[in-house]
Amino acid sequence: MLSKKLKYIFLVQGEGRGHITQAITLSNILSEAGHTVAHVFVGGNANREIPDFFTKKINARKVELLDSPGFVIDSKSKGIRIWATIVSGIFKFHRYIKSCISLNKVILEVQPDVFINFYDPLGGLYNLIFRPSLT
């Protein structure tokens, strides 16, 4: 029995390494099954680069960084500064809207069968604004 080969787009929360590692693992599993990961977006900011190991190991046609909400960290205690994070998100909101527009443009172009969000808040904002009919 032949199964349909699906086309995927990933959105990966780029802070830390857990979600990145999960995306690599799933990408490899999908590839082995004959599916395609057409595009991977990594949520982060201009001060962060996509780790080299990720771009080398993720089995995707294209990997792209998008501005996405992130935590403001206290440099002394290494804790999350909640109010600073909220204020930062408000002031950068226009950037996140632009990211959602970029994400939507690729989704309309690629026409994926499945969109997987690895816990990036941008995915929720995108869903709220565009209401895609994706799985």
Side-chain angles (χ1 to χ4, degrees), residues 14-74:
E15 289 186 0
R17 297 291 183 251
H19 301 104
I20 286 174
T21 304
Q22 291 171 359
I24 290 170
T25 302
L26 183 57
S27 173
N28 290 330
I29 292 168
L30 293 172
S31 179
E32 288 173 14
H35 303 294
T36 303
V37 179
H39 207 107
V40 174
F41 291 99
V42 178
N45 62 53
N47 299 332
R48 272 204 147 131
E49 292 183 14
I50 299 171
D52 283 338
F53 80 90
F54 182 72
T55 54
K56 289 176 184 173
K57 293 191 177 212
I58 190 83
N59 199 352
R61 292 185 179 162
K62 184 164 183 185
V63 178
E64 180 178 349
L65 182 67
L66 285 179
D67 272 329
S68 179
F71 293 117
V72 175
I73 306 295
D74 183 317

Side-chain angles (χ1 to χ4, degrees), residues 1-2 10 19 30 34 58-59 77 86 101 119 123:
M1 180 167 127
L2 294 174
F10 289 178
H19 301 104
L30 293 172
I58 190 83
N59 199 352
S77 69
I86 292 168
I101 291 168
Y119 203 67

